[in-house]
Amino acid sequence: MRKPKVNRMVLAMCLGCFIMVIFYFQSNLKPASAQGSGRSSGQGKSWRSPLQMLYDSDQLEQSTVQVTHQGRRELLEDACRSYTHKRRVLIPEDLKHVIVDDQHGLLYCYVPKVACTNWKRVLMVLTGSAGPHRDPLAIPANEAHVPGNLRTLSEYSTSQINQRLRSYLKFVFVREPFERLVSAYRNKFTRSYNTAFHKRYGTKIIRRHRPNPQAEALERGDDVSFEEFVYYLVDPATQREEPFNEHWERVHSLCHPCLIHYDVVGKYETLEQDSRYVLQLAGVEGQVTFPASAKNTRTTGDMAAQFFNNIRPFYQKKLYNLYHMDFLLFNYSTPEYLKF
């Protein structure tokens, strides 16, 4: 009569121990799970990832900004369906421009000449790689571009890449394609301090596209005209030899928006508003402020029109065809100053 009672007591004790073991493992797995979703240490139970903040209507009221960004996402998806017929798998090479912030669950594809220096500065502050600096503008511009200061998605394993693409907020900033192109030309070929670009690209452009160049021009490469730059871009031999430099490479080739589903497509034309929106989604608007841009040096549409005045319609058309997908995917109209 006593054996069944003892057996029941032993069974109850074993069951209690089993429950305690399960509870222990569950409590120890939670931090790892939070880290995998981009949760930074020290944040409370109510913390929600930027991706949850974006898609959970209970967290943010529908505002004009949200409606705008939803419209941009839908336009991009429609354009991808209409104009890209061959799908392929992403490879690590495609992800070299995608910067990772594991602490806040962010993936940012940087596009040169679209405020990428300031975005890198902001991410250095957020990830702690800026050292004591809390003000992004305190970080020298050249330091923001040093490889290794920020990690890119190409550095992760396949499973880690997939996990981050699923659970992190993915954002990119774009710009009217020809304004970005003129901005790249002005910065890389008309500034005396950019001797590396003059030697690397200027000498080649002059040698190929200037009739009877002077020996000094061939040596220095520092007086490339915009017309010569356009000839270089539309010359089929250019891309056969090597890929475009990132400063004039097309956005769709840098960031692959038809393979990566970007949650926020910011625009240079609404830079301050869109940057504030991203920082709000990340829950860091009180920690860091996106730097205001110097509007007096910005390349505008009127300025781009002046540069295109000397470009013959035949070459305008060839150049437009080269950047056509960026116009389509990001809903930019064909510039009125083009003559073709």
Side-chain angles (χ1 to χ4, degrees), residues 219-230:
E219 172 66 24
R220 296 169 62 92
D222 60 354
D223 63 343
V224 173
S225 70
F226 185 67
E227 189 175 10
E228 291 167 338
F229 181 51
V230 170

Side-chain angles (χ1 to χ4, degrees), residues 220-244:
R220 296 169 62 92
D222 60 354
D223 63 343
V224 173
S225 70
F226 185 67
E227 189 175 10
E228 291 167 338
F229 181 51
V230 170
Y231 293 160
Y232 165 77
L233 292 174
V234 302
D235 183 355
T238 299
Q239 289 192 82
R240 281 201 301 266
E241 285 185 355
E242 60 181 346
F244 276 167

Side-chain angles (χ1 to χ4, degrees), residues 4 22 33 47 57 78 85 114 116 121 156 189 217 262 275 279:
I22 292 176
S33 174
W47 183 87
S57 58
D78 289 344
H85 304 295
V114 194
C116 76
R121 286 165 160 160
Y156 291 77
F189 294 107
Y262 287 98
S275 299
L279 295 177

Side-chain angles (χ1 to χ4, degrees), residues 138-157:
I139 303 169
N142 62 326
E143 192 176 325
H145 299 292
V146 172
N149 279 343
L150 295 163
R151 293 192 70 184
T152 64
L153 197 54
S154 61
E155 300 172 37
Y156 291 77
S157 69

